[in-house]
Amino acid sequence: SMGGLILRYALAKMTEAECRMIDSIVMLGPPNKGSLLALIGEMDLVKLFNASLGDMVPGARTLQIPKPIYLPPVGIIAGTLDGKVALENTGLPDGLPFHRITVNCTHPCLRDPGKTGKAIIHFMKHKTFKI
């Protein structure tokens, strides 16, 4: 999930030609608009071990990542039982386009190929989750 934020930051630093070399992107439970779990990142003890967690608090203080010059098709798979990232916080910010589906699983379960593998492959081939 955090990899989606890292990828968005990398895209923002890339040229349009570099961005266009990426055919499509699938994010699994990304905290694109933050996570309430990040509130613990504001605790002094937690800051000692994870300084960046507080940047993912939803709302105006959420980590701001610039828009890329070009955005490849983005698919987002969110878990209906995800206790770390709420469904409404998985979408891309600032009106950036994306496709999203949900699967009946928790946040860690999103990595299970049995739960998400077919959807990932379908999106990579067709740039949509629609069959």
Side-chain angles (χ1 to χ4, degrees), residues 101 118-119 122-123 126-131:
I101 61 166
K118 287 181 183 179
H122 186 84
F123 190 87
H126 304 284
K127 314 307 180 256
T128 183
F129 290 117
K130 296 178 183 175
I131 296 175

Side-chain angles (χ1 to χ4, degrees), residues 106-128:
T106 63
H107 192 78
C109 183
L110 291 168
R111 297 176 300 202
D112 179 354
K115 291 282 188 181
T116 58
K118 287 181 183 179
I120 292 169
I121 292 168
H122 186 84
F123 190 87
M124 293 293 191
K125 286 182 179 178
H126 304 284
K127 314 307 180 256
T128 183

Side-chain angles (χ1 to χ4, degrees), residues 84-103:
K84 294 183 179 181
V85 182
L87 175 63
E88 62 270 14
N89 290 337
T90 62
L92 293 176
D94 302 322
L96 292 172
F98 65 93
H99 303 262
R100 178 173 47 207
I101 61 166
T102 59
V103 292

Side-chain angles (χ1 to χ4, degrees), residues 35-116:
S35 168
L36 289 175
L37 187 62
L39 288 171
I40 67 168
E42 295 180 330
M43 298 168 49
D44 289 335
L45 180 62
V46 175
K47 286 179 185 178
L48 291 173
F49 301 100
N50 192 333
S52 64
L53 186 60
D55 292 336
M56 290 187 293
V57 175
R61 298 179 313 172
T62 300
L63 178 66
Q64 299 297 312
I65 300 172
K67 289 182 181 182
I69 293 172
Y70 171 80
L71 182 66
V74 176
I76 294 174
I77 303 176
T80 57
L81 305 173
D82 191 327
K84 294 183 179 181
V85 182
L87 175 63
E88 62 270 14
N89 290 337
T90 62
L92 293 176
D94 302 322
L96 292 172
F98 65 93
H99 303 262
R100 178 173 47 207
I101 61 166
T102 59
V103 292
N104 188 29
C105 72
T106 63
H107 192 78
C109 183
L110 291 168
R111 297 176 300 202
D112 179 354
K115 291 282 188 181
T116 58

